[in-house]
């Protein structure tokens, strides 16, 4: 059983459309990280959210941390083919232990 | 360039033949970790180390060994590989104890794809 549940597992959209990926847990985390992984490479950190209710923006990507610090979402506006990849969320406990979600595979068609 | 390197990148071996996957980082990070990635299961931690000579089990340590004799290196050892250890392996490192930013943000290596026949 995953400590962090990501949904959907797969997402395929047309270029220019918006998408949202969800990361949910019953546990409280001290921080929540989002990574993107491209084929043949290791995950790369996109953002860390720390405070309940926090919203961070990275160009067309918007990350939100739930008020109770148990869930998070990633919203991509006007998706582009370069956004294609596996998106992973990871929750950090107070003892530094990280728990990863299973990931959401995003495909943006040109 | 700051990076985590792993070798080899690809490895096909047979059941029972001992192997070592090397991992090295040049960022002076205290924390290093090994993960395996399997379809539908995400990244699962095998072992981690918070400093030299300090290692601890992660979520799936069975069948693996590690050592941390130097700060920069953290090899993963499979003494007697079995087919269920066929997977994609990632080494990662992070900087701990940096005041407010103790979030264990991971820098990942490029991965090692291991097939055990």
């Amino acid at each position: 059983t995953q400590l962090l549940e990501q949904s959907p597992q797969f997402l395929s959209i047309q270029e220019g459309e918006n998408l949202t990926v969800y990361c949910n847990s019953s546990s409280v985390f001290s921080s929540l990280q989002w990574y993107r992984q491209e084929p043949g490479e290791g995950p790369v950190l996109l953002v860390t959210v720390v405070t309940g209710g926090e919203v961070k923006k990275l160009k067309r990507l918007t990350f939100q941390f739930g008020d109770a610090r148990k869930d998070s979402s990633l919203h991509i506006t006007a998706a582009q083919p370069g956004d294609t990849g596996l998106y992973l969320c990871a929750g950090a406990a107070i003892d530094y232990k990280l728990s990863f979600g299973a990931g959401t595979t995003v495909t943006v068609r040109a | 360039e700051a990076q985590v390197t792993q070798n080899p990148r690809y490895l096909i071996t047979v059941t029972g033949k001992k192997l070592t996957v090397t991992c090295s980082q040049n960022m002076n990070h205290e924390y290093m970790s090994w993960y395996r990635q399997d379809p539908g299961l995400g990244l699962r931690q095998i072992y981690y180390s918070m400093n030299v000579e300090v290692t601890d089990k992660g979520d799936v340590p069975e069948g693996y060994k590690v050592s941390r004799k130097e700060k920069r290196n953290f090899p993963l050892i499979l003494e007697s590989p079995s087919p269920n250890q066929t997977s994609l392996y990632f080494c990662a490192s992070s900087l701990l104890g940096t005041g407010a930013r103790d979030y264990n943000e991971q820098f990942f290596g490029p991965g090692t794809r291991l097939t055990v026949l």
Side-chain angles (χ1 to χ4, degrees):
Chain A
T1 304
Q2 298 281 149
L3 193 60
L4 281 164
E5 298 289 337
Q6 281 189 243
S7 62
Q9 189 176 357
F10 300 95
L11 196 52
S12 180
I13 60 170
Q14 202 69 33
E15 182 176 3
E17 294 181 338
N18 302 332
L19 69 94
T20 302
V21 177
Y22 299 94
C23 177
N24 296 300
S25 176
S26 58
S27 300
V28 176
F29 295 105
S30 61
S31 70
L32 200 295
Q33 302 164 15
W34 284 93
Y35 295 80
R36 181 168 67 208
Q37 183 179 9
E38 299 188 19
E41 299 180 10
V44 175
L45 180 69
L46 295 173
V47 78
T48 299
V49 285
V50 179
T51 308
E54 181 177 4
V55 177
K56 277 192 175 178
K57 293 194 174 184
L58 192 68
K59 297 183 181 177
R60 294 174 294 98
L61 278 62
T62 301
F63 304 86
Q64 185 160 8
F65 202 11
D67 291 340
R69 291 187 290 134
K70 293 182 179 181
D71 55 85
S72 182
S73 64
L74 156 61
H75 183 79
I76 302 179
T77 304
Q80 298 177 0
D83 296 323
T84 292
L86 176 67
Y87 288 83
L88 295 159
C89 65
I94 199 161
D95 62 352
Y96 300 119
K97 172 139 178 78
L98 273 182
S99 297
F100 282 85
T104 295
T105 300
V106 172
T107 303
V108 182
R109 305 184 303 275
Chain B
E1 179 190 356
Q3 60 183 348
V4 177
T5 56
Q6 295 179 226
N7 282 292
R9 293 290 312 277
Y10 301 91
L11 181 59
I12 300 174
T13 189
V14 295
T15 299
K17 187 175 182 182
K18 181 179 178 180
L19 66 92
T20 300
V21 184
T22 64
C23 172
S24 183
Q25 51 94 4
N26 63 359
M27 296 169 280
N28 202 36
H29 284 172
E30 295 90 355
Y31 185 99
M32 296 187 74
S33 182
W34 277 101
Y35 297 88
R36 61 179 288 173
Q37 187 175 39
D38 301 289
L41 296 177
L43 285 162
R44 293 181 293 166
Q45 191 177 53
I46 302 170
Y47 269 95
Y48 66 96
S49 168
M50 297 188 77
N51 216 324
V52 175
E53 302 292 359
V54 180
T55 63
D56 213 340
K57 296 177 180 179
D59 299 316
V60 288
E62 294 78 19
Y64 305 94
K65 284 175 57 177
V66 292
S67 67
R68 187 91 181 274
K69 294 185 171 58
E70 305 165 285
K71 196 172 187 179
R72 63 185 292 126
N73 296 323
F74 191 45
L76 178 69
I77 302 155
L78 284 71
E79 295 270 3
S80 183
S82 63
N84 65 10
Q85 292 178 299
T86 292
S87 187
L88 181 57
Y89 291 86
F90 288 100
C91 180
S93 70
S94 70
L95 194 60
L96 295 180
T98 54
R101 296 200 60 78
D102 287 343
Y103 307 132
N104 201 7
E105 295 167 336
Q106 306 279 284
F107 286 81
F108 283 89
T112 295
R113 186 165 291 282
L114 172 65
T115 301
V116 183
L117 302 174

